[in-house]
Amino acid sequence: MSVLSPSSIFTSMQQEGPFAVQKTALNPHPFSQEARNWVKNLHKDSNHISKYRALRSQIFEFLGIETFAEIDQLLHDPALRQMRSERALHLLGNMFGISGTRKEIENRVHEYARTADTVIHSLKGKILAPYGSFIETTNEIEMANNPIELILIMFDDRYHKKARFEARRKLTLMTLAGSIDQRERETEIADKFSNFLGFLNSYVWSPDLKIGELNPVYLHSIHDPENFHCTDVQVLSPQQADAIQLPPGEKLTLLKRRRFTLGHRNIPIYVSIRKKPPEAKVLKLLRKNEKNPAVAVDDELGLMAVLDNISDIKSFQQHLTRSAANANSLMVLEDISDTLTENTIYKGHAVGSSSQTPMLKFFARLGGMRVELIIHTNQTFLNYMYQQDVAHNEYEVKRIFDSGVIELLFPRDIFHLDHQKTRSEMIRFFRKQIES
């Protein structure tokens, strides 16, 4: 379900829906013409009425008021706002299970605000980099970390329509950040990530290596001019790579590889280990049209590995299983998807994913953790990086646009972006970076 559909759980942010931010702040008088027109539109969908009532109750309870007319007093009484802000921190602390002093709760809520800002900065820095001036957040909203202040901005006609929308957007993103933080504390994800790294260093990588020791090599690849898929790849030392003069259609890709030992063989492996940052998890919740991290974010711990060939991949799977047993844990592989073998088609379920993306993907359950593993050969990794309609940068553009997230966060009537045109231009932008 798209985040832009009428039944989306993010209806309150939709500029095409009944909760759209208007040119002027909502007139609280119940018999005004604006209020009458709004109520008429709201009654077109009973689901919207239920959502409105729930949202109104939450706002009233959070602000400590009983009618919209009382908002004006809060807007003009700093002392009263301060009292309500302290009460709000207590309510938020209990809702998100934050223990500690009022200051500690305030610091945690401010972290949620910073995560909300980082979501926008991450898009501005990559997916929408050429459009930074279009989507830049209003200074006053970026500086606001107090949820009470942000709610009041939504009803304050001194603020421009864009600023009032950004206040609402920031509150929504802060709520998602709070849910993610609560989930991470409940699942002890930071400790599990540390334990996973410890498992790899103690049981998986070669004991001849120091922790963090890496061997740099280059993949010298030749690419088809039609779709830039890899037709041949050779592993070169840095000295050999220095002597290469690259013609069009060829690339050098640096990999810093570890080793694992199986029998008498030392097998090289490139590994990228990730723990999704909060802003990436917020974007994933939006793409999945979910507010519950336990449902939408199932890949908090992840490892991507690249090996020379399929035989080495099978050896790595065998080595992982033995390493888990040596660490006194059974390792079970779940949700296995193997499309590395010839004539097997990958059937991606994510919006924007390509059916041309071969990989071995599974979840490994061991030591109280569930880790997502994505494994490539050198050739499929280069396709994942560079091939048309497959390259990860293209995939990121497609999924963030096609899921409706860009339009939800940066609606056309406020940010003046032509989303389809921007999508096409960003794909061309990344293709040019890849092929040049």
Side-chain angles (χ1 to χ4, degrees):
M1 182 194 303
S2 168
V3 292
L4 301 176
S5 68
S7 54
S8 167
I9 62 174
F10 295 104
T11 311
S12 62
M13 277 183 61
Q14 294 176 0
Q15 271 301 101
E16 298 296 324
F19 303 102
V21 176
Q22 303 299 327
K23 187 175 181 179
T24 59
L26 179 65
N27 188 331
H29 194 283
F31 300 108
S32 68
Q33 188 59 48
E34 294 89 343
R36 290 185 181 205
N37 291 338
W38 182 80
V39 170
K40 184 178 179 180
N41 289 329
L42 189 69
H43 275 76
K44 292 179 180 179
D45 189 328
S46 59
N47 194 36
H48 287 158
I49 297 173
S50 298
K51 288 184 178 181
Y52 164 70
R53 287 173 176 163
L55 189 61
R56 180 185 60 186
S57 296
Q58 291 169 14
I59 291 174
F60 283 5
E61 188 59 42
F62 196 62
L63 294 177
I65 61 177
E66 294 185 0
T67 66
F68 282 113
E70 296 177 58
I71 289 177
D72 190 62
Q73 183 183 4
L74 281 171
L75 288 172
H76 296 93
D77 190 336
L80 184 58
R81 284 203 306 275
Q82 179 62 29
M83 289 175 56
R84 299 295 164 82
S85 294
E86 292 179 3
R87 175 179 174 271
L89 286 175
H90 178 72
L91 294 174
L92 289 171
N94 287 335
M95 183 174 78
F96 289 121
I98 307 170
S99 58
T101 63
R102 188 193 67 81
K103 187 63 178 176
E104 288 171 332
I105 296 172
E106 182 180 40
N107 288 340
R108 187 63 65 98
V109 171
H110 286 183
E111 283 182 20
Y112 301 160
R114 285 191 289 272
T115 297
D117 292 332
T118 304
V119 170
I120 306 303
H121 292 162
S122 67
L123 295 172
K124 181 182 172 184
K126 185 176 182 181
I127 301 298
L128 292 171
Y131 298 91
S133 58
F134 283 78
I135 66 173
E136 189 172 14
T137 305
T138 305
N139 293 337
E140 288 79 2
I141 305 305
E142 186 151 8
M143 294 301 295
N145 297 323
N146 183 333
I148 292 291
E149 298 288 348
L150 286 166
I151 289 179
L152 291 176
I153 287 172
M154 292 162 48
F155 297 96
D156 192 340
D157 203 39
R158 294 178 303 162
Y159 286 85
H160 186 265
K161 175 182 178 180
K162 176 176 178 287
R164 286 184 281 111
F165 172 82
E166 289 171 339
R168 177 184 296 184
R169 181 183 68 187
K170 187 166 183 174
L171 281 167
T172 301
L173 299 181
M174 286 175 67
T175 302
L176 296 179
S179 298
I180 288 165
D181 174 61
Q182 182 181 8
R183 168 73 176 171
E184 289 185 348
R185 283 182 280 111
E186 290 171 350
T187 58
E188 300 177 327
I189 191 66
D191 290 338
K192 290 179 180 178
F193 186 68
S194 178
N195 292 340
F196 180 54
L197 292 178
F199 163 71
L200 294 174
N201 287 320
S202 298
Y203 296 97
V204 177
W205 309 137
S206 172
D208 298 332
L209 295 176
K210 292 185 176 181
I211 295 175
E213 183 178 350
L214 304 170
N215 178 41
V217 299
Y218 283 86
L219 301 183
H220 176 215
S221 54
I222 301 174
H223 297 265
D224 187 289
E226 292 296 320
N227 64 3
F228 221 73
H229 80 272
C230 177
T231 59
D232 186 59
V233 57
Q234 300 293 326
V235 180
L236 303 181
S237 68
Q239 295 75 21
Q240 291 172 317
D242 285 341
I244 295 289
Q245 296 294 322
L246 289 178
E250 296 186 17
K251 293 190 77 72
L252 281 175
T253 304
L254 174 66
L255 295 184
K256 295 183 178 181
R257 305 201 291 189
R258 301 173 186 261
R259 296 194 307 271
F260 66 92
T261 303
L262 188 65
H264 298 291
R265 295 180 63 210
N266 283 318
I267 302 174
I269 179 171
Y270 166 74
V271 175
S272 173
I273 299 170
R274 76 178 191 279
K275 174 181 176 290
K276 281 184 182 292
E279 62 271 18
K281 293 182 181 180
V282 169
L283 286 171
K284 184 162 188 176
L285 287 175
L286 291 170
R287 292 197 314 270
K288 298 288 187 179
N289 195 29
E290 265 290 346
K291 291 187 178 180
N292 184 0
V295 174
V297 185
D298 59 353
D299 55 351
E300 292 176 296
L301 292 178
L303 178 151
M304 184 175 74
V306 181
L307 297 102
D308 286 337
N309 50 57
I310 291 177
S311 176
D312 286 351
I313 289 175
K314 292 178 180 177
S315 297
F316 181 58
Q317 279 186 284
Q318 180 183 358
H319 179 61
L320 268 182
T321 303
R322 289 181 179 177
S323 298
N326 291 336
N328 298 315
S329 173
L330 180 67
M331 187 177 82
V332 177
L333 306 187
E334 303 173 342
D335 301 337
I336 300 173
S337 171
D338 183 1
T339 55
L340 287 173
T341 54
E342 193 174 358
N343 298 324
T344 305
I345 297 176
Y346 171 74
K347 296 181 180 179
H349 299 291
V351 173
S353 65
S354 171
S355 61
Q356 306 174 56
T357 313
M359 66 180 73
L360 171 61
K361 180 178 178 179
F362 58 87
F363 286 87
R365 189 178 293 278
L366 75 160
M369 299 173 285
R370 190 172 189 263
V371 183
E372 182 190 49
L373 284 90
I374 296 174
I375 306 181
H376 285 283
T377 64
N378 290 336
Q379 187 170 22
T380 65
F381 172 71
L382 292 168
N383 288 337
Y384 163 82
M385 293 289 292
Y386 304 132
Q387 184 177 340
Q388 288 182 17
D389 298 322
V390 173
H392 187 67
N393 283 344
E394 285 185 66
Y395 167 54
E396 283 192 311
V397 172
K398 290 175 182 177
R399 70 180 180 178
I400 202 73
F401 276 90
D402 296 352
S403 62
V405 171
I406 291 295
E407 190 168 345
L408 183 77
L409 296 178
F410 309 104
R412 187 188 306 253
D413 71 317
I414 293 177
F415 294 90
H416 311 294
L417 279 177
D418 184 330
H419 296 102
Q420 280 303 115
K421 180 182 177 183
T422 304
R423 177 188 184 275
S424 299
E425 288 181 349
M426 289 312 303
I427 290 175
R428 286 196 296 270
F429 174 80
F430 284 117
R431 287 306 324 162
K432 184 177 180 180
Q433 279 190 333
I434 289 170
E435 297 182 22
S436 62

